[in-house]
Amino acid sequence: MAPSSPAPPGRPGPAPPDRPHTTTGSRLRGVGSWLYGVGPWIRSAPGTYLWLTTLVVTTVIIHQMSPDFEEAFLRRRSTNLHELSEDPLRVLIASAFWTDNGLWAPYAVLYTVFHARAERWLGTLRWLAVAAAAHVLATLVSEGVLAWAIRNGYVTPAATHTLDIGVSYALAGVVAVLTYRVPSPWRHVYLFAVAVFYAIPLISGRSTFTDLGHFTAVLIGLACYPLTRGRARDEGRDEGDEGRDGDGARPRSPRHERPRHPSGNQPGHSDQSKQPNQSSDGSSDESHDGPGYPSPHGTGNPPAQ
């Protein structure tokens, strides 16, 4: 039996498509492009993002602590009645850079939506004044009410060592002052939403002294209206772009218009119909005593030479 001949080779199929090869360099370039895109926004609110960076660092530090040590550590930086009576300035400052929930991502969103917008609008100094006033005054009011409740037997004396730390009072004040940034009629809707959000916990029947502090911070933010004067509500563009003055607000510039020529024509555009005829020797058919003024002796052609 004769051996069978081998089968002819089949046609090769299409080559599989090349998968994009991702390298470390391309990833770094992608991160660099993203940072380049968000860089102007971050630079427009330096105080906000410096504060947020500090919160990220302190949150990472808290995650390295044991639960018992963490509670004692934060309590030493808490604005409770005991610590306020010992060293009020220290705890008022320290409590603004630590959080007790161990999270920083929600603050990144809230700081970008509220703090950064307020800083770009008011300028760093005015924004910081609003945040500091809300943080300090709301703390003193809420702790003062708590002290009154302890003295009158409504709250146990153990509340003097309660944990009261975080940045929520400053945030509530900034959220409130942004009411003046919202144009009418949406301003009233925004104010109503803010008031409802912070008032419901206060009147729910299970309110705490921190709920009172939040509502007090809202009132303080609204009372900061004088700091918003001279800041336009809506100019059609963000105030964080280039061209802001030293306090963070965009200077008002006059409308750029091209100056008109005394004759009514734009500079650089001559009206050929109004130009004097030139004779063959280069002289004009119109004599002048000065530039742009006709001679009182007439405008006839000069006599032939």
Side-chain angles (χ1 to χ4, degrees):
M1 181 176 179
S4 59
S5 59
R11 296 181 61 185
D18 294 335
R19 294 183 178 180
H21 184 60
T22 303
T23 62
T24 303
S26 62
R27 292 193 186 98
L28 292 177
R29 285 192 296 270
V31 173
S33 300
W34 181 82
L35 291 176
Y36 180 80
V38 301
W41 176 272
I42 295 176
R43 289 194 300 270
S44 68
T48 295
Y49 290 102
L50 181 61
W51 192 0
L52 180 61
T53 301
T54 305
L55 288 178
V56 173
V57 173
T58 56
T59 301
V60 172
I61 294 174
I62 289 176
H63 286 166
Q64 311 303 317
M65 301 178 182
S66 65
D68 293 338
F69 181 80
E70 174 186 340
E71 182 177 357
F73 180 85
L74 293 179
R75 201 173 298 278
R76 283 282 298 163
R77 287 150 183 83
S78 174
T79 51
N80 54 42
L81 290 173
H82 175 72
E83 296 297 336
L84 283 173
S85 63
E86 293 289 333
D87 194 347
L89 183 60
R90 176 183 62 83
V91 295
L92 283 171
I93 296 175
S95 63
F97 297 99
W98 298 87
T99 61
D100 59 350
N101 55 15
L103 300 176
W104 63 266
Y107 293 104
V109 176
L110 294 173
Y111 272 50
T112 300
V113 173
F114 296 107
H115 276 300
R117 188 168 298 275
E119 185 179 0
R120 298 177 79 203
W121 172 45
L122 296 173
T124 300
L125 293 181
R126 297 189 186 199
W127 159 79
L128 185 60
V130 174
H135 174 70
V136 173
L137 297 180
T139 297
L140 297 179
V141 169
S142 60
E143 293 295 333
V145 172
L146 179 61
W148 174 85
I150 292 174
R151 284 196 305 268
N152 290 273
Y154 295 104
V155 181
T156 62
T160 57
H161 295 274
T162 189
L163 184 63
D164 183 19
I165 200 168
V167 297
S168 57
Y169 291 168
L171 179 62
V174 169
V175 168
V177 80
L178 281 173
T179 300
Y180 306 113
R181 179 70 172 85
V182 180
S184 297
W186 299 108
R187 177 189 298 182
H188 306 290
V189 177
Y190 179 86
L191 178 59
F192 177 77
V194 171
V196 169
F197 181 83
Y198 285 104
I200 286 180
L202 187 62
I203 62 178
S204 63
R206 294 178 297 177
S207 60
T208 63
F209 70 95
T210 56
D211 296 325
L212 175 63
H214 289 142
F215 193 78
T216 303
V218 169
L219 298 179
I220 293 170
L222 294 175
C224 290
Y225 169 74
L227 294 177
T228 70
R229 301 186 65 179
R231 298 298 192 263
R233 289 193 306 272
D234 189 7
E235 299 177 359
R237 55 183 178 179
D238 291 324
E239 288 79 357
D241 300 334
E242 297 296 331
R244 297 187 303 163
D245 62 15
D247 195 22
R250 181 185 300 279
R252 295 179 179 272
S253 59
R255 182 179 300 176
H256 296 286
E257 294 182 356
R258 299 181 64 183
R260 292 188 174 275
H261 195 269
S263 63
N265 297 328
Q266 293 292 338
H269 297 274
S270 59
D271 189 353
Q272 298 296 333
S273 62
K274 295 185 179 180
Q275 296 295 328
N277 296 328
Q278 298 289 333
S279 62
S280 60
D281 60 354
S283 62
S284 171
D285 64 350
E286 184 175 351
S287 61
H288 299 278
D289 287 345
Y293 299 95
S295 170
H297 302 294
T299 58
N301 293 330
Q305 296 294 329

